Amino acid sequence: MEIRVLRYFLAVAREGNITAAANFLHLTQPTLSRQIKDLEEELGVQLLIRKSHNVSLTSDGMRLRKRAEEIISMVDKTEAEFASAENAVSGDIYIGGGETRAMHEIAEVIKELRELYPDIHFHLYSGNAEDVTERLDKGLLDFGVLIQPADISKYNYINLDEKDIWGVIMRKDSPLAEKSSIKKEDLLSLPLICSRQAISFPQTGNEFAAWFGDDFKALNIVTTFNLVYNAAIMVDAGIGYAITLDNLADTSADSNLCFRPLEPKLESGLNIIWKKYQVFSPAAEVFLENINRRFSPDHAAQAQLQ
């Protein structure tokens, strides 16, 4: 399977039309059709459903599209790393993370590096811990910023000083909005909107589940989410109460929503992680050096390296 042919296949998948894809690739339509047919024969599956004026992907075609996008992304990233190695420190750094106010500290590091090395470019990916670690494992990200609870046993990591505070987002016309903080008893009979990351593994030392104790299994979780923006829309529509972190949704004076912290207080730690034995590009090395300098004055004590 050639990288060139995977690029051809992705062009066909994107255009939905062999002729349009051929024009984009500066190929003849018969040449492109033959390349895709050869790819199908090589894999032993049908990738396209061919119609008179367009094509669509089979289930195997959709699976290949996902893998091909990952492969091409990795190839492009590798080529960029080697190209940048010939110059002064430059290149691309890929960082994934959840929604957290700690990102402003990462932004400060990025700002400093951009002033010193204007040819370094940063690419941010937003997702929960599962999304970020999957892309990190595949080499599509250099670093991840994870909110606890999360399994970081497979990675090198640095603990951040910042902590996120858990609480409840609700409509301002809710009776609970009159309270300054929210206790467990206030939530047990209410429809809840919860982060999938927070509730995904309560048996493995999850502080979120521990806060509820034996009542965790009795929670009425009507909706789950991985990013807060859509959860806030659900709350505004009156579907339920979102248990999430502070400073993520709009709870300003102009918003219909407000945030109330949990009582007793529940905080989550944060980690910057990267793959063990990772070979970094020069740009990523400089980023890691600055992260270490900012967050772990004593590298041996703070950075868990093996």
Side-chain angles (χ1 to χ4, degrees):
M1 195 179 340
E2 298 182 29
I3 298 298
R4 169 180 54 84
V5 178
L6 289 180
R7 293 187 189 275
Y8 292 171
F9 170 73
L10 289 176
V12 173
R14 183 182 64 247
E15 300 292 336
N17 181 283
I18 296 282
T19 301
N23 291 337
F24 173 81
L25 296 166
H26 304 293
L27 299 172
T28 64
Q29 186 271 333
T31 297
L32 181 57
S33 294
R34 182 68 257 171
Q35 293 283 350
I36 300 301
K37 192 66 178 176
D38 289 346
L39 180 60
E40 289 179 315
E41 291 176 359
E42 179 182 357
L43 296 176
V45 297
Q46 181 180 348
L47 299 172
L48 302 179
I49 300 172
R50 294 164 174 83
K51 302 174 184 178
S52 55
H53 298 294
N54 58 62
V55 297
S56 59
L57 297 180
T58 64
S59 58
D60 287 318
M62 288 187 284
R63 184 160 63 251
L64 179 63
R65 179 178 188 170
K66 181 177 185 297
R67 295 303 182 198
E69 287 172 343
E70 293 171 352
I71 292 169
I72 296 301
S73 176
M74 192 63 193
V75 168
D76 291 343
K77 184 172 180 288
T78 301
E79 290 176 346
E81 287 176 357
F82 278 91
S84 67
E86 299 176 359
N87 309 313
V89 179
S90 63
D92 298 282
I93 299 174
Y94 296 80
I95 305 170
E99 295 175 302
T100 167
R101 61 182 181 178
M103 285 303 293
H104 74 79
E105 297 193 65
I106 306 299
E108 288 296 322
V109 175
I110 291 175
K111 179 183 177 183
E112 292 171 4
L113 284 182
R114 286 282 302 152
E115 292 173 351
L116 294 172
Y117 308 104
D119 290 329
I120 294 181
H121 302 279
F122 295 84
H123 307 273
L124 303 180
Y125 173 84
S126 295
N128 62 17
E130 183 180 357
D131 301 327
V132 170
T133 54
E134 179 183 3
R135 295 181 73 86
L136 197 67
D137 291 342
K138 291 177 178 177
L140 302 176
L141 295 175
D142 298 307
F143 301 94
V145 180
L146 298 190
I147 306 163
Q148 292 301 321
D151 181 6
I152 58 174
S153 59
K154 298 193 305 181
Y155 306 99
N156 292 330
Y157 64 90
I158 296 173
N159 297 322
L160 301 184
D161 294 332
E162 189 97 31
K163 289 186 180 294
D164 280 322
I165 299 173
W166 285 91
V168 183
I169 293 176
M170 65 193 77
R171 289 177 58 94
K172 289 177 179 175
D173 56 10
S174 164
L176 284 186
E178 298 177 2
K179 295 177 174 286
S180 60
S181 59
I182 305 300
K183 297 181 179 180
K184 175 178 67 173
E185 294 76 15
D186 298 323
L187 300 172
L188 294 181
S189 61
L190 297 178
L192 301 181
I193 301 169
C194 292
S195 162
R196 285 197 294 275
Q197 180 175 329
I199 65 174
S200 58
F201 39 90
Q203 295 83 11
T204 58
N206 184 333
E207 293 178 356
F208 178 84
W211 188 86
F212 282 97
D214 294 337
D215 294 312
F216 180 80
K217 294 181 180 179
L219 296 180
N220 180 22
I221 299 173
V222 298
T223 307
T224 62
F225 66 91
N226 67 334
L227 296 176
V228 176
Y229 180 82
N230 288 335
I233 293 176
M234 300 294 108
V235 175
D236 196 25
I239 293 173
Y241 297 75
I243 301 179
T244 183
L245 303 173
D246 197 5
N247 297 308
L248 299 183
D250 179 11
T251 55
S252 64
D254 296 329
S255 171
N256 293 329
L257 308 180
C258 62
F259 177 89
R260 298 291 182 265
L262 297 179
E263 180 187 342
K265 188 176 184 180
L266 178 62
E267 296 180 321
S268 281
L270 297 137
N271 312 102
I272 298 177
I273 68 170
W274 61 96
K275 289 172 66 176
K276 291 182 178 180
Y277 316 112
Q278 174 81 10
V279 178
F280 285 123
S281 67
E285 284 281 4
V286 169
F287 178 80
L288 181 57
E289 289 172 6
N290 280 265
I291 288 292
N292 267 305
R293 190 177 302 117
R294 184 180 185 91
F295 297 114
S296 56
D298 180 359
H299 295 190
Q302 298 278 349
Q304 307 300 311
L305 303 178
Q306 295 182 7

